[in-house]
Amino acid sequence: MKKIILFADPGIDDSVAIMYALLNPGIKVLAIVSSYGNVTKEQATDNIAYLLRLASRKDIPIIGGANSPSSGEIPRFYPEIHGEEGLGPIRPPMDVQGELTNFSELYNIIRMNQDVTVVDVGRNTSLAALFILGENITDVIKEFYIMGGAFLVPGNVTSSAEANFYGDPVASQVVVTNMDNIYIVPLNVTNKAIVTMEHINMIRKLTDNPLIQIMDEAMEYYIEAYKKLIPGINGAPLHDVLTLFLMVNPEMGSSIRRDVKILTAAEGRGTSIADFRVSSKPAEKNINIYLDFNYQGFIEDFIQVMSSTGNSRE
Ligand code: RIB
Ligand code: CA
């Protein structure tokens, strides 16, 4: 079982990723770090608290992450994809207000648990802060799974930049430079992790878990949003869920070991670069970019995990 700290900014695909992590018997969630990204940090925190309440998981702390990128600029949010409050048409009930645990608690959690995996499916500001504020902290973390980047394929915010790396490129560069055992899950693969309403309906028939009721409505919104963005698409990509799937099932994807750079300014802001020439050499450190995965295996696993009772009630 992998013990994870999940950095997220829910957002619909982040929310489905949180559900997937809570229900997956191969994952133990130690903490969730809430940050700005798809919505404000405050909204992200309430969304996480709502999901944890529905899953009856009072034991998982919500850690207060970043409010804005390290540049201090005001973040841009994406209501057209995730809804005004991040869960499509759903609003957490008024009495749900996430309580935050101080960021410094992360160091205790990491040191108290052996072999922690960090998964970041949002802007990388909080993860960079973990490194900047901590002493030798990255040496005690087993591995990092990062959803971000677009390598030689179009971006989703600019022609070349993906949203997570674009949101705080300086933080993303801090992460890829200073951490080791990194697995990047970019748009090259996540754009293909399409889940349709047929898949969701299949899951709905198999379970009456209240989390899945929320997923149903949120996914309907998310899929409609993607249909407007990409005419002809029959579902929507679950970027953040694929990242967790590959973290638990690394053999279901193929990756290449290369150094990664993220452009931090001007028109190239957020663009991720690696050398894929035949003559290029593997990175000295263990940094890997996923370029392919088993789609059928992903869908089967997604349906199975989401329709299980999992380990959500402890
Ligand atoms: O580019 C995809 C990423 O941006 C995902 O993490 C999604 O949640 C959005 O924020
Ligand atoms: Ca995300």
Side-chain angles (χ1 to χ4, degrees), residues 78-310:
Y78 295 89
E80 65 279 18
I81 297 179
H82 298 277
E84 286 299 331
E85 293 171 56
L87 283 170
I90 294 158
R91 279 184 168 186
M94 293 297 276
D95 65 324
V96 173
Q97 277 180 346
E99 251 183 61
L100 289 175
T101 300
N102 200 297
F103 192 76
S104 60
E105 182 57 20
L106 278 178
Y107 298 104
N108 298 332
I109 296 171
I110 290 166
R111 295 203 190 277
M112 268 161 36
N113 288 277
Q114 298 274 306
D115 293 337
V116 170
T117 294
V118 162
V119 183
D120 192 346
V121 293
R123 315 312 184 237
N124 297 133
T125 319
S126 305
L127 182 51
L130 184 78
F131 167 76
I132 292 167
L133 299 172
E135 213 172 296
N136 302 327
I137 193 66
T138 53
D139 301 347
V140 290
I141 296 170
K142 182 182 169 198
E143 58 189 3
F144 298 84
Y145 273 76
I146 312 283
M147 191 284 126
F151 293 84
L152 305 176
V153 297
N156 58 0
V157 171
T158 70
S159 60
S160 59
E162 179 278 332
N164 287 342
F165 284 5
Y166 182 86
D168 189 346
V170 172
S172 302
Q173 186 59 44
V174 167
V175 169
V176 297
T177 308
N178 294 290
M179 296 171 187
D180 204 353
N181 300 322
I182 302 179
Y183 298 85
I184 296 180
V185 184
L187 291 183
N188 303 59
V189 280
T190 67
N191 266 343
K192 297 179 191 151
I194 304 272
V195 169
T196 66
M197 267 331 275
E198 285 73 46
H199 298 135
I200 301 297
N201 292 338
M202 241 182 258
I203 296 166
R204 281 281 276 158
K205 282 190 191 135
L206 293 167
T207 177
D208 56 5
N209 187 332
L211 277 177
I212 301 305
Q213 206 167 325
I214 298 288
M215 177 181 79
D216 185 19
E217 288 176 50
M219 280 301 290
E220 208 172 329
Y221 184 97
Y222 188 61
I223 289 173
E224 283 312 309
Y226 262 92
K227 281 185 179 165
K228 282 181 205 145
L229 268 181
I230 307 172
I233 200 171
N234 181 32
L238 288 182
H239 308 279
D240 298 345
V241 178
L242 183 72
T243 306
L244 286 167
F245 168 74
L246 289 171
M247 187 266 304
V248 187
N249 309 283
E251 74 290 350
M252 287 285 206
S254 53
S255 57
I256 183 167
R257 183 168 168 161
R258 286 292 180 276
D259 279 317
V260 171
K261 283 198 187 98
I262 292 133
L263 305 184
T264 53
E267 255 186 68
R269 172 182 166 150
T271 303
S272 45
I273 295 178
D275 190 346
F276 297 117
R277 287 175 295 179
V278 180
S279 57
S280 67
K281 300 250 168 4
E284 265 179 37
K285 69 174 179 177
N286 188 23
I287 175 162
N288 307 278
I289 307 161
Y290 272 99
L291 293 176
D292 204 2
F293 74 105
N294 178 336
Y295 175 73
Q296 200 48 41
F298 166 68
I299 290 296
E300 281 167 18
D301 170 84
F302 179 70
I303 293 172
Q304 198 204 329
V305 169
M306 299 308 275
S307 54
S308 70
T309 49

Side-chain angles (χ1 to χ4, degrees), residues 9 13-14 38 121-122 164 240:
D9 58 335
D13 65 323
D14 299 74
N38 294 315
V121 293
N164 287 342
D240 298 345

